[in-house]
Amino acid sequence: MPQHHDIVVIGAGFAGLYAVHKFRDELGLSVKGFDAAGGVGGTWWWNRYPGARCDIESVHYAYSFSDEIQKRWTWSERFAAQPEILAYLEFVADTLDLRRAFTFGTRIASAVWDDEDHVWTVSTSDGDVCTTRFLIAASGNLSIPKPPDFAGLEQFRGEVYTTSQWPHRPVDFTGKRVGIIGTGSTGIQVIQEVAKQAGHLTVFQRTPNFALPLGNESLPEEKRRWVADHHAEIRAGARESFMGIPFERPEISGTLVPAEARKAKYDRLWSKGGWPLLVSSYADVLSSQAVNDDVADYVRDKIRARVTKPGVADLLCPTDHPFATKRLAFETDYFDVFNRDNVDLIDVRATPVERLTEGGIVVGGVEYPLDVLIFAIGFDAATGPLVHLGLVGRNGATLAERWKDGPRNYLGIAMHDFPNLFTITGPTSAVALYNNPLAIEDHVDLATDAVRYTLDRGADLIEATEEAEDHWSRIVNGLLGLTLFPKAKSWYMGANIEGKRTGTYIFTGSAQLYRQMTAEMQQVGYGGFVVGTRKAALPPMMKLDPAVLGLMGVLQGQGTKALHDCTVEETRALVDSFSMLQGDARDVEVTATTYPTAAGERPLRVYRPKGRGGLLPVVVFCHGGGFIAGSIDAVDKPCRALADDLGLVVIAPSYRLAPEHPFPAATDDTFAAVDWAARNAARFGGDADRLVVAGESAGGLLAAVAALRARDAGGPRLAAQILITPAIDGAVKTASRVEYAEGPILSTKAAEGMFAAYLAGTGAEMSPLASPVHATSLAGLPPCLVLSAECDPMRDEGEDYARRLAGAGVEVRSIRLDGLIHAAFSMAGVIPRARDFTVEIGAFLDDVLGRAEPQPTRAAGE
Ligand code: N01
């Protein structure tokens, strides 16, 4: 009988070591580990090439789970070199007595799922077999080297080294003619060192890379101790920041900042060394081509300033991919080595490597004689290490076949048909853009919790559902599509390996967003998983449109306060700031004027599309903002777009806000605006017989109440009402107010607080002027379009109001927009599907007003 374990862990790097500790020492399970390497260390056991070091500061590039380990270990450099990182992992293994769990020098040949007994049968390269209930693939992202496939390789008589399989003895390059192929992070690190020792170095470069100054320094003894003692404060907030390292927050967009200020910022961030130029400059550097070009130009100028050999600087300047869309590299004197007489740079993009000969490499008919050849050509990243495990899931499904079109999984960590398997730092999990030790801890913690959750329920199986995989694929593909990453031929995209399908291999939302999604999945009881026989519903965030998730990531990165924690002034500032999310302002005619209210004249704007003759339908648009915030400035762009897209005269009134002006000030003003519109529409080429009242959020409620007042007052006569994600009833408890209690953007708590501020103790809760649901009858109201957003706490009350209207005989169209959120209508600059609101409004107006204007089309992806 093969030996049985509760857990088998594959890999003894950062991930495998921590996994053994968690499962064995915390859960008390029987754990067996395997690693093909001769000892612990994972990537740091294999990658021993000269110059190998971390490029996230040592104090951050370390486990965070143990105060004791962090206090006992000290780092000698700001960015530790490979021998020190390996020594650190050996120290951790010894401290926690982890080595005895592993068999080293042993590869996994296959792991096959037994769907009757719910165990994995694991076979090793030694021919040993064992079974395990749960399988933890901690095999890393970059552990399968890309094989060199150069013609004539076998003829070359010199020494050949691959950086990721470097010998365990020193390699001496003194006086030798060395060639290096590959200028990624690895190549850049190794070239710096070898250039100083080799007799001559020839670098064969296919693609130049963006490399930033590392800023490494050796730390004096007292600083080492201080860092170890203060690790907690140094690392505080790391997990709440993009990439899992505490950094200065970026500004939201480089497009809003003048050139001199951008340059000053780049200079300051550049001088810090490491990642700040990417993570602390502008939040849209990886999504806006213009902003990215600006940073890229800055880096290219820096390269040109360093490299003196004619023509070489240009060759070293990356131009074929946006900044940071291939993994950023970091250097100390990389660009300087090309000024040395013993270093040559050969462009093998213009003229690829032809073949290897006995004595060198031939490029463009020229033979470059070499004694040593180093391959730094990268890895079959992300999927390679898992596909190579020989995984066979339910019904004989092989991972190789399952992933032939790219990875498909749930949260990057689990797969349908591969139960009880957790892929630590798996493809599409937050890892490529997340400080790896923290990513690893997060994933291992999640896997441990999943196993505990399963066992606590007396179950022996946990498995992602197909539905969860579908949603995760939709999300990671969508997030990637919002970025510039697809413009690079990189391992991020699976594009570095011939024949590998390019696609979504990495999670491009922030680490913080990923953590929020996994936490929510746990909170709702392993939503998206089957545990035993119980299938848990998808977590709410899993339904969101990817652009919404992208926005959440950006707002988190900005440290944006939750609305319900904001003061009135902060709420106003935040709501006004959302105008940055609205894209460009359309060129329409805008007239600023005033309208009379009980409290005197108030501002109002009239928008009319340019170049349209004749009378146009008129829409009075009431802005949102929870009765306490919002303004005609904040809805300027959406109003321009409505007028332009749909051929409307749009009238946007400013109305009085609570708490300074509580109920009924806002409804009195907006109703007065409707009355003004009816009397003045013709002045702006508007057709008062096609007068429509509309509003978003609180403005939706004000629009609905205006329709009620117009009916009861006998005018103005309204042709329609349009309620966009309306707040209808401040007191109601609906399922959507529970499911989306935390938002995004608007939380139930914030909505309740705003409504309470509006009513301000007036006791008007049951007044139909406070909420139209309290009207004795809804009959006789104009046709109504209710546009609700699936992931909005206000969703159900809007839809319920639509049903009530229909019940009262009103012509109603109620449309729910999947995956969208409250306020999405006014975020067209960052949520492309905001356009769907406009499309539905256009179609509705066509029907009720009987006109046929050319209509906008839906956002791509619909
Ligand atoms: O691999 P890469 P890497 N002919 O794929 C070239 C991590 N890391 O080992 O770009 C000619 O980035 C290839 O050219 P091109 C880090 O995550 C971290 O350098 O395909 N050239 C490219 O220049 C990193 O991203 C640290 O045109 C060929 C290079 O080889 C990841 O490891 C340090 C070629 C491969 O670059 C991988 O980096 C080092 C061919 N046939 C690595 N095939 C830290 O500091 C490939 N190339 C923590």
Side-chain angles (χ1 to χ4, degrees):
M1 276 288 281
Q3 202 178 357
H4 180 75
H5 312 282
D6 296 324
I7 308 280
V8 160
V9 173
I10 306 171
F14 266 101
L17 293 178
Y18 183 52
V20 168
H21 170 60
K22 289 286 286 188
F23 285 107
R24 187 191 68 184
D25 305 335
E26 274 190 36
L27 292 199
L29 299 174
S30 67
V31 179
K32 176 72 199 163
F34 296 98
D35 198 306
V40 300
T43 203
W44 298 103
W45 191 91
W46 293 98
N47 289 270
R48 295 162 183 257
Y49 59 86
R53 64 174 67 247
C54 61
D55 56 19
I56 283 185
E57 283 177 80
S58 314
V59 63
H60 295 292
Y61 193 79
Y63 291 118
S64 71
F65 70 90
S66 161
D67 179 57
E68 185 204 331
I69 287 173
Q70 292 185 92
K71 287 220 166 104
R72 279 179 57 198
W73 185 263
T74 59
W75 295 102
S76 68
E77 290 182 276
R78 186 177 171 209
F79 297 94
Q82 176 271 337
E84 190 169 14
I85 302 173
L86 182 59
Y88 163 77
L89 289 168
E90 288 170 342
F91 159 78
V92 172
D94 292 337
T95 304
L96 300 174
D97 190 19
L98 301 173
R99 290 183 206 252
R100 69 182 163 86
F102 284 95
T103 300
F104 294 105
T106 304
R107 277 198 183 278
I108 299 303
S110 68
V112 181
W113 174 248
D114 176 339
D115 209 26
E116 273 186 16
D117 292 340
H118 292 180
V119 292
W120 285 94
T121 302
V122 178
S123 308
T124 72
S125 51
D126 303 337
D128 290 339
V129 177
C130 64
T131 58
T132 180
R133 179 71 69 207
F134 299 98
L135 186 58
I136 308 299
S139 38
N141 264 291
L142 298 159
S143 50
I144 300 291
K146 172 179 171 172
D149 59 353
F150 298 94
L153 178 58
E154 64 294 339
Q155 290 175 17
F156 183 64
R157 293 279 162 261
E159 302 163 54
V160 178
Y161 301 103
T162 297
T163 46
S164 56
Q165 292 166 333
W166 202 261
H168 287 211
R169 55 171 171 80
V171 179
D172 186 10
F173 301 107
T174 315
K176 292 181 182 162
R177 296 165 303 177
V178 182
I180 297 183
I181 300 182
T183 51
S185 305
T186 304
I188 285 172
Q189 286 187 333
V190 76
I191 286 165
Q192 293 178 144
E193 299 308 314
V194 173
K196 291 167 200 154
Q197 216 193 61
H200 189 273
L201 173 64
T202 310
V203 176
F204 299 91
Q205 171 191 273
R206 190 163 66 183
T207 309
N209 261 294
F210 288 97
L212 308 185
L214 183 64
N216 189 29
E217 59 187 2
S218 120
L219 301 177
E221 190 56 45
E222 63 281 12
K223 180 82 191 273
R224 298 178 196 182
R225 192 63 267 148
W226 187 90
V227 168
D229 289 342
H230 293 80
H231 68 85
E233 58 194 85
I234 295 170
R235 304 186 77 178
R239 282 188 157 87
E240 281 70 53
S241 72
F242 182 77
M243 281 206 68
I245 325 165
F247 278 129
E248 171 186 329
R249 291 188 190 288
E251 289 174 70
I252 194 152
S253 174
T255 59
L256 306 169
V257 180
E260 319 81 71
R262 292 199 304 270
K263 165 81 166 53
K265 180 172 219 164
Y266 300 153
D267 284 344
R268 189 168 55 75
L269 298 175
W270 181 269
S271 68
K272 288 179 182 229
W275 294 86
L277 187 67
L278 171 64
V279 298
S280 300
S281 55
Y282 300 105
D284 54 356
V285 71
L286 287 170
S287 56
S288 158
Q289 187 66 60
V291 176
N292 192 288
D293 285 346
D294 196 52
V295 182
D297 284 343
Y298 178 85
V299 179
R300 284 188 284 259
D301 285 348
K302 290 283 187 190
I303 296 171
R304 289 198 183 94
R306 295 246 312 264
V307 182
T308 53
K309 275 193 205 165
V312 176
D314 280 344
L315 266 186
L316 288 168
C317 283
T319 50
D320 79 325
H321 62 278
F323 171 74
T325 53
K326 279 172 134 120
R327 207 295 199 154
L328 277 183
F330 295 89
E331 54 87 37
T332 301
D333 48 13
Y334 175 68
F335 293 109
D336 309 313
V337 303
F338 291 96
N339 296 331
R340 298 171 67 112
D341 291 336
N342 70 330
V343 178
D344 283 328
L345 180 64
I346 306 299
D347 177 9
V348 295
R349 171 168 302 247
T351 325
V353 172
E354 256 167 52
R355 63 182 192 284
L356 272 63
T357 61
E358 269 190 30
I361 290 186
V362 179
V363 178
V366 178
E367 180 168 4
Y368 296 86
L370 299 174
D371 305 309
V372 181
L373 179 55
I374 299 174
F375 291 116
I377 57 174
F379 300 88
D380 180 357
T383 47
L386 294 167
V387 166
H388 277 75
L389 293 177
L391 293 163
V392 181
R394 184 179 290 116
N395 299 326
T398 66
L399 195 61
E401 173 62 20
R402 195 52 78 88
W403 282 2
K404 68 178 190 313
D405 294 329
R408 190 185 142 79
N409 56 25
Y410 182 39
L411 291 163
I413 196 166
M415 281 172 283
H416 182 64
D417 278 344
F418 293 78
N420 292 5
L421 165 67
F422 295 97
T423 54
I424 308 305
T425 66
T428 75
S429 70
V431 61
L433 304 173
Y434 188 14
N435 178 14
N436 274 212
L438 296 193
I440 282 165
E441 286 181 341
D442 287 357
H443 297 181
V444 172
D445 288 348
L446 179 56
T448 317
D449 189 68
V451 168
R452 183 189 354 234
Y453 185 88
T454 306
L455 298 178
D456 283 354
R457 274 149 193 78
D460 65 0
L461 179 140
I462 178 165
E463 181 183 3
T465 65
E466 255 187 303
E467 181 195 22
E469 286 193 340
D470 288 344
H471 279 270
W472 186 245
S473 296
R474 182 183 59 78
I475 285 170
V476 292
N477 292 338
L479 282 170
L480 183 80
L482 298 168
T483 71
L484 302 171
F485 286 105
K487 295 192 170 183
K489 229 178 143 215
S490 65
W491 70 258
Y492 285 165
M493 296 295 303
N496 66 323
I497 301 286
E498 287 70 28
K500 188 166 174 173
R501 179 67 67 103
T502 54
T504 309
Y505 289 78
I506 62 170
F507 180 78
T508 52
S510 69
Q512 198 181 356
L513 180 70
Y514 178 82
R515 286 173 51 74
Q516 193 184 348
M517 296 180 87
T518 52
E520 185 195 61
M521 178 279 291
Q522 289 170 302
Q523 277 154 20
V524 300
Y526 278 80
F529 282 95
V530 172
V531 178
T533 53
R534 188 187 67 88
K535 179 177 165 186
L538 270 186
M541 283 178 81
M542 216 49 72
K543 299 176 193 164
L544 288 170
D545 184 85
V548 171
L549 287 161
L551 172 64
M552 288 172 70
V554 170
L555 295 179
Q556 284 169 348
Q558 297 287 300
T560 308
K561 222 170 168 180
L563 262 180
H564 55 249
D565 291 331
C566 287
T567 62
V568 170
E569 285 316 313
E570 286 170 337
T571 304
R572 288 176 183 168
L574 185 59
V575 171
D576 285 349
S577 76
F578 286 162
S579 60
M580 282 191 290
L581 311 175
Q582 294 169 345
D584 296 332
R586 303 286 185 83
D587 184 20
V588 298
E589 287 167 18
V590 184
T591 309
T593 179
T594 62
Y595 71 106
T597 73
E601 289 289 314
R602 288 200 62 80
L604 169 148
R605 281 188 201 150
V606 183
Y607 301 86
R608 190 189 157 93
K610 283 190 170 163
R612 298 241 191 178
L615 288 180
L616 300 178
V618 182
V619 170
V620 178
F621 186 85
C622 307
H623 69 75
F627 310 100
I628 65 169
S631 62
I632 50 175
D633 284 338
V635 287
D636 181 65
K637 289 182 203 167
C639 287
R640 285 169 181 266
L642 261 189
D644 197 32
D645 278 338
L646 301 179
L648 305 170
V649 169
V650 175
I651 296 178
S654 158
Y655 56 85
R656 284 170 291 163
L657 298 178
E660 297 90 333
H661 304 286
F663 174 85
T667 171
D668 285 350
D669 289 358
T670 43
F671 184 50
V674 173
D675 187 52
W676 182 91
R679 287 183 287 105
N680 292 277
R683 276 172 52 200
F684 303 93
D687 180 359
D689 288 337
R690 291 184 290 166
L691 178 61
V692 177
V693 64
E696 182 194 16
S697 183
L701 184 143
L702 295 172
V705 172
L708 209 58
R709 292 178 78 161
R711 178 199 66 179
D712 294 346
R717 202 185 69 75
L718 293 175
Q721 48 179 329
I722 298 170
L723 315 182
I724 303 168
T725 58
I728 290 291
D729 186 347
V732 76
K733 296 269 176 264
T734 60
S736 60
R737 281 194 178 221
V738 174
E739 189 177 8
Y740 290 97
E742 298 302 319
I745 306 288
L746 179 70
S747 65
T748 299
K749 191 171 158 197
E752 285 171 354
M754 289 165 161
F755 200 71
Y758 177 46
L759 296 188
T762 52
E765 282 80 3
M766 299 309 286
S767 163
L769 298 189
S771 168
V773 290
H774 302 308
T776 332
S777 164
L778 296 175
L781 287 169
C784 182
L785 171 66
V786 174
L787 290 171
S788 60
E790 181 186 22
C791 309
D792 175 6
M794 312 287 99
R795 178 193 71 201
D796 291 351
E797 61 210 72
E799 294 178 0
D800 177 60
Y801 187 58
R803 280 188 291 274
R804 288 178 190 230
L805 287 169
V810 176
E811 180 188 339
V812 176
R813 188 177 298 178
S814 178
I815 294 171
R816 179 189 289 194
L817 296 171
D818 291 347
L820 293 186
I821 55 168
H822 200 75
F825 168 73
S826 353
M827 295 178 171
V830 288
I831 304 178
R833 282 193 49 228
R835 195 161 178 76
D836 294 358
F837 287 98
T838 313
V839 171
E840 298 301 349
I841 293 168
F844 171 74
L845 288 180
D846 277 355
D847 287 352
V848 295
L849 303 181
R851 58 179 200 127
E853 288 288 334
Q855 294 303 304
T857 48
R858 277 179 178 278
E862 262 296 85

